[in-house]
């Protein structure tokens, strides 16, 4: 996504400027071509040489730097930029940007460029909450600038409040989203489910599965970077919410069903990559079960002190959507849906993958079904890579090579996009 993209990173004079070194380094590692511009005060915190060393390109400081070309250097940078990210953006530079002041290399590039502007404000709490800064940010947002909200926490001064620069992963997410804004999913709303559901036995224990959520999170991130509005409905996972994605955290299959019904009413695509439990305990105990069972727990212990957990069927979320489409009714409470929803399912199997997958594609009336053999150690639950087969409703099966989950996600979206036309 970032390979060979031209990104200009502007650095303002704030203590958080040292964190921008990591951002520039990560951008360079992903193959982006990064030009760094420092304001005069940024140089007081981090030397241009530091940025040049990690970007592998010169770092700019002087507005009248020779370009060796017909246009001035700030015009060259402004025209070549695909995105201008200012990290950190100080109150002073935000004020200049809001009012069109171009008195240094960075603000001149910002005024001259047509590229989207990503601003990551970071400053002392009371400067951030000052009405002047609030007004400047509102003006910039209105003009289309993408503001990455600062985090609330301990600031360099020791004060607690908003003003901390977010982690590099968040900044990378904001830059990727800005770059992909006109991608092949622009104007589309997509819903992705991820992770496994947890079905409570009592307030402490649950019936669960091994899904890590990585495949679903990769699908959501990829859709964001192609311009989609993304709703990610996830069971409990150990992953950070991708930047720019609306995350709905759910626990049980019933909660996931409600969230999917609500989110898909006006959506174009649903990808169910979640491992939804097919069964749930019939009557979860209100209090923690004790192994020396008591009658009031409603559990019949056998002579050896064991007991049988009675499970009942959960609804089939994808199956219900197909049935609703057949009957011409929406499952939601906002009436009949107008758009056709492209539905994509996953099938994690440990045997007979092809026949099970083909059966699910037909039974759930899916457009695509992604099958993977989770008995392989390099594929499926928890792995960073995945080896999948893609089954098409129109007929045919593709056997994709083992790839990182992010690349599998891209391959899946490549096959969904033509179905939207
Ligand atoms: N799925 C669903 N609702 C369920 C169970 C599964 O929507 N209650 C979805 C999954 O998210 C996946 C697809 O259906 O996209 C296939 O899930 P899988 O568990 O493999 O299929 P099942 O129909 O549950 O079949 P089985 O467990 O018998 O293999």
């Amino acid at each position: 996504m970032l390979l060979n993209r031209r990104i200009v990173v502007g650095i303002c004079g704030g203590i958080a400027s040292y964190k921008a070194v990591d951002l520039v380094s990560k951008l360079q590692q992903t193959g982006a071509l990064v030009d760094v511009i420092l304001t005069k005060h940024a140089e007081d915190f981090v030397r241009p040489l530091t940025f040049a060393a990690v970007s592998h390109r010169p770092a700019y400081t002087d507005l009248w730097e020779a370009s060796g070309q017909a246009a001035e250097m700030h015009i060259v940078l402004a025209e070549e930029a695909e995105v201008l990210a200012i990290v950190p953006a100080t109150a002073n530079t935000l004020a200049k940007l809001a009012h069109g002041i171009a008195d240094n290399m960075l603000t001149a590039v910002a005024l001259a460029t047509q590229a989207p502007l990503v601003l990551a404000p970071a400053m002392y709490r009371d400067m951030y909450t000052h009405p002047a800064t609030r007004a400047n940010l509102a003006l910039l947002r209105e003009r289309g600038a993408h503001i990455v909200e600062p985090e609330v926490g301990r600031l360099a001064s020791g004060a607690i409040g908003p003003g901390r620069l977010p982690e590099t992963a968040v900044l990378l997410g904001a830059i990727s989203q800005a770059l992909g804004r006109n991608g092949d999913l622009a104007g589309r709303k997509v819903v992705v489910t991820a992770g496994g559901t947890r079905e409570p036995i009592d307030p402490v224990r649950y019936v669960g599965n091994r899904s890590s959520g990585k495949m679903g999170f990769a699908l959501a991130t990829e859709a964001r970077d192609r311009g989609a509005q993304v709703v990610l409905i996830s069971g409990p996972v150990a992953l950070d919410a991708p930047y720019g994605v609306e995350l709905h955290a759910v626990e049980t299959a019933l909660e996931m069903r409600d969230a999917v019904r609500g989110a898909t009413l006006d959506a174009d695509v649903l990808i169910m990559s979640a491992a939804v439990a097919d069964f749930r305990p019939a009557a979860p105990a209100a209090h923690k079960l004790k192994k020396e069972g008591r009658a009031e727990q409603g559990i019949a212990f056998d002579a050896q002190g064991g007991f049988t957990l009675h499970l009942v069927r959960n609804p089939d979320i994808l199956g219900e959507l197909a049935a609703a489409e057949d009957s011409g009714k929406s499952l939601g409470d906002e009436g009949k849906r107008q758009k056709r929803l492209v539905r994509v399912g996953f099938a994690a199997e440990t045997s007979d993958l092809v026949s099970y997958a083909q059966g699910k594609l037909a039974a759930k009336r899916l457009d695509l079904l992604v099958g993977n053999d989770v008995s392989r150690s390099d594929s499926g639950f928890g792995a960073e890579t995945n080896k999948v087969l893609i089954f098409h409703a129109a007929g045919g099966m593709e056997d994709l090579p083992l790839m990182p989950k992010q690349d599998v996600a891209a391959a899946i979206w490549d096959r969904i996009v033509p179905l939207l036309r």
Side-chain angles (χ1 to χ4, degrees), residues 14 51 68 83 111 119 125 130 135 139 175 183 188 205 219 224 240 262 274 286 305 334 360 388 390 402-403:
F51 286 104
V83 63
L111 198 61
L119 301 170
R125 175 191 65 198
H130 193 284
L139 197 57
I175 292 171
R188 303 289 186 178
R205 293 96 169 188
L219 284 160
R224 175 200 70 192
D240 289 331
E334 286 174 32
K360 288 175 188 179
V388 303
I390 300 187
L402 182 73
M403 292 189 279

Side-chain angles (χ1 to χ4, degrees), residues 7-13 35-42 60-65 73-75 77-78 81 83-90 92-94 96-97 100-113 117-119:
I7 299 164
V8 175
V9 179
I11 317 287
C12 299
D35 289 304
V36 174
I37 306 173
L38 295 93
T39 64
K40 190 171 173 314
H41 291 301
Y60 302 95
T61 53
D62 179 7
L63 176 56
W64 303 116
E65 185 121 22
M73 195 63 212
H74 60 277
I75 304 299
L77 289 174
V83 63
L84 170 60
I86 306 190
V87 181
T90 53
N92 187 40
T93 291
L94 291 173
K96 290 185 191 177
L97 296 177
I101 295 170
D103 64 345
N104 60 32
M105 180 68 137
L106 175 57
T107 50
V109 170
L111 198 61
T113 192
L117 191 58
V118 174
L119 301 170

Side-chain angles (χ1 to χ4, degrees), residues 239-297:
L239 301 171
D240 289 331
Y243 178 83
V245 160
E246 188 182 323
L247 180 73
H248 291 236
V250 298
E251 208 152 306
T252 65
L254 292 175
E255 287 169 13
M256 186 168 279
R257 173 173 71 164
D258 286 348
V260 169
R261 282 182 174 189
T264 50
L265 282 175
D266 57 349
D268 299 282
V269 183
L270 168 66
I271 307 185
M272 285 288 302
S273 74
V276 186
D278 289 320
F279 301 94
R280 67 178 183 276
H287 297 286
K288 185 184 164 192
L289 294 175
K290 307 304 275 179
K291 62 180 174 297
E292 302 308 331
R294 281 182 245 116
E296 66 268 24
Q297 290 184 329

Side-chain angles (χ1 to χ4, degrees), residues 392-412:
H392 295 251
M397 179 199 94
E398 295 177 87
D399 190 351
L400 270 54
L402 182 73
M403 292 189 279
K405 284 185 171 169
Q406 201 61 50
D407 294 350
V408 176
I412 292 170

Side-chain angles (χ1 to χ4, degrees), residues 272-274 276-278 314-318 344-349 360 364:
M272 285 288 302
S273 74
V276 186
D278 289 320
N314 268 330
D316 183 331
I317 302 171
L318 273 175
V344 180
F346 269 71
E349 307 289 351
K360 288 175 188 179
K364 302 190 189 216

